[in-house]
Amino acid sequence: MTYPLNGIAPLSHLGVIRVEGEDAAKFLHGQLTQDFALLGMDQARLAAFLSAKGRMQASFIGFKRSATDVLLICSRDLLPPTLKRLSMFVLRAKAKLTDATNDFALYGLAGNAVPSGSQTAWSKADTGNASVVHLYPADGQPRALWVAPAADPAPAGPALDEALWRWSEVKSGVATLTTPVVEAFVPQMLNYESVGGVNFKKGCYPGQEVVARSQFRGTLKRRAYIAHVAADVAVGAEVFSTQDLEQPCGTVVQVAPAPGGGFDTIVSLQISAAQEGSLQVGAADGVALSLQPLPYPLLEDI
């Protein structure tokens, strides 16, 4: 039995930070893990905003609407504190940051609803006033993010339940940070270096030294994995190996109901625990966790 990811879903869980001004891209380049200085109009960026200790405070999909207008799409629950933190760094830069969530409509496109043409992840195409950002596929289906002014008509196509879209986010293996797991991970613990979320050649940004050290000194001990559980689990819940119920070996990052029953989740795990298997969420009365194949290769495997 198949559960086609096909159609168009409104994305109420995401918000928009708008960065306007002649230094907009330059400012973001100095704050985030990805290159915004060389960001073309036909590209988007997956990026993280880190603490000085290299821990993720927010994740974004960012792209330009014009040379002086950049939009950052993030989890709506993280938007207010992230906007406040990022704004503290503007100083003399000619850039103004605002919450533009109400100014734009966001839709997820899946399957046949995704425009034909290049479907390379993080490529962008503009259609009228709308920007279409191609994402990583899920369950073998192409996916894209549609962002347009709120007053514009919605994209045409069959309706897709937003819950199915959220499941597609999990199945893509590309995690979106939310409040329960703020400052829990360096980017590599969510595989961000393998899905286009980190540029190791760009200049300084907060937390850069920690990220570089994790990558080049072989100190990385955690990775993101996709897993299935029979019962609902909470984002931020601890994962344990059944061999050691005293010490957690991972964290639940993102969860969505699976169309075939149960729940699929992205978990960040110690690599050694993932290789040993026999995992559960929670120590007492734990829910068994079964790992599934990642849909993309990790950077060290490429």
Side-chain angles (χ1 to χ4, degrees), residues 245-276:
L245 296 177
E246 300 290 319
Q247 200 67 29
C249 62
T251 308
V252 174
V253 183
Q254 204 164 335
V255 185
F263 294 79
D264 286 326
T265 174
I266 296 175
V267 290
S268 182
L269 293 174
Q270 291 174 5
I271 296 167
S272 56
Q275 290 168 343
E276 289 166 9

Side-chain angles (χ1 to χ4, degrees), residues 128-144:
N129 292 323
S131 298
V132 179
V133 176
H134 292 282
L135 307 174
Y136 269 68
D139 214 35
Q141 293 298 305
R143 300 161 65 247

Side-chain angles (χ1 to χ4, degrees), residues 75-92:
S75 178
R76 193 179 282 209
D77 69 328
L78 276 184
L79 195 151
T82 303
L83 179 60
K84 185 177 179 182
R85 281 196 198 106
L86 265 176
S87 297
M88 288 166 56
F89 295 101
V90 172
L91 304 176
R92 293 189 183 88

Side-chain angles (χ1 to χ4, degrees), residues 152-175:
D152 280 22
L160 179 71
D161 190 323
E162 188 172 352
L164 264 178
W165 177 266
R166 294 209 189 197
W167 174 68
S168 83
E169 291 182 330
V170 170
K171 291 293 281 186
S172 76
V174 180

Side-chain angles (χ1 to χ4, degrees), residues 3-287:
Y3 298 89
L5 274 171
N6 192 62
I8 297 167
L11 305 182
S12 61
H13 62 301
L14 301 178
V16 183
I17 293 175
R18 189 172 200 166
V19 189
E20 294 176 280
E22 61 183 85
D23 291 341
K26 180 181 175 184
F27 166 71
L28 293 173
H29 187 81
Q31 297 301 323
L32 307 182
T33 57
Q34 251 295 2
D35 175 325
F36 279 77
L38 299 176
L39 177 60
M41 291 298 294
D42 60 348
Q43 300 169 314
R45 296 280 194 257
L46 175 69
F49 177 43
L50 310 183
S51 69
K53 294 181 179 178
R55 298 278 167 156
M56 292 173 66
Q57 300 181 108
S59 64
F60 307 104
I61 296 169
F63 60 89
K64 288 180 178 176
R65 284 185 62 80
S66 74
T68 58
D69 188 4
V70 183
L71 299 187
L72 300 175
I73 313 302
C74 66
S75 178
R76 193 179 282 209
D77 69 328
L78 276 184
L79 195 151
T82 303
L83 179 60
K84 185 177 179 182
R85 281 196 198 106
L86 265 176
S87 297
M88 288 166 56
F89 295 101
V90 172
L91 304 176
R92 293 189 183 88
K94 293 177 181 175
K96 180 186 177 187
L97 280 70
T98 55
D99 179 349
T101 303
N102 293 332
D103 299 334
F104 291 93
L106 277 62
Y107 291 89
L109 313 182
N112 295 334
V114 177
S116 55
S118 171
Q119 294 182 347
T120 305
W122 315 128
S123 64
K124 178 181 79 89
D126 293 322
T127 309
N129 292 323
S131 298
V132 179
V133 176
H134 292 282
L135 307 174
Y136 269 68
D139 214 35
Q141 293 298 305
R143 300 161 65 247
L145 176 67
W146 170 289
V147 183
D152 280 22
L160 179 71
D161 190 323
E162 188 172 352
L164 264 178
W165 177 266
R166 294 209 189 197
W167 174 68
S168 83
E169 291 182 330
V170 170
K171 291 293 281 186
S172 76
V174 180
T176 301
L177 206 74
T178 55
T179 299
V181 287
V182 165
E183 297 200 12
F185 312 111
V186 298
Q188 291 99 322
M189 292 180 186
L190 297 185
N191 303 347
Y192 262 46
E193 85 301 334
S194 294
V195 291
V198 180
N199 184 322
F200 293 104
K201 297 176 182 175
K202 72 186 284 284
C204 291
Y205 56 88
Q208 181 198 18
E209 289 181 15
V210 177
V211 172
R213 197 160 58 237
S214 296
Q215 193 67 26
F216 299 114
R217 291 194 182 168
T219 56
L220 187 64
K221 293 183 170 61
R222 289 178 182 249
R223 283 284 191 192
Y225 300 84
I226 296 175
H228 185 78
V229 288
D232 196 4
V233 293
V235 172
E238 293 178 328
V239 178
F240 294 82
S241 165
T242 55
Q243 313 300 315
D244 180 6
L245 296 177
E246 300 290 319
Q247 200 67 29
C249 62
T251 308
V252 174
V253 183
Q254 204 164 335
V255 185
F263 294 79
D264 286 326
T265 174
I266 296 175
V267 290
S268 182
L269 293 174
Q270 291 174 5
I271 296 167
S272 56
Q275 290 168 343
E276 289 166 9
S278 195
L279 302 163
Q280 65 183 50
V281 180
D285 302 320
V287 179

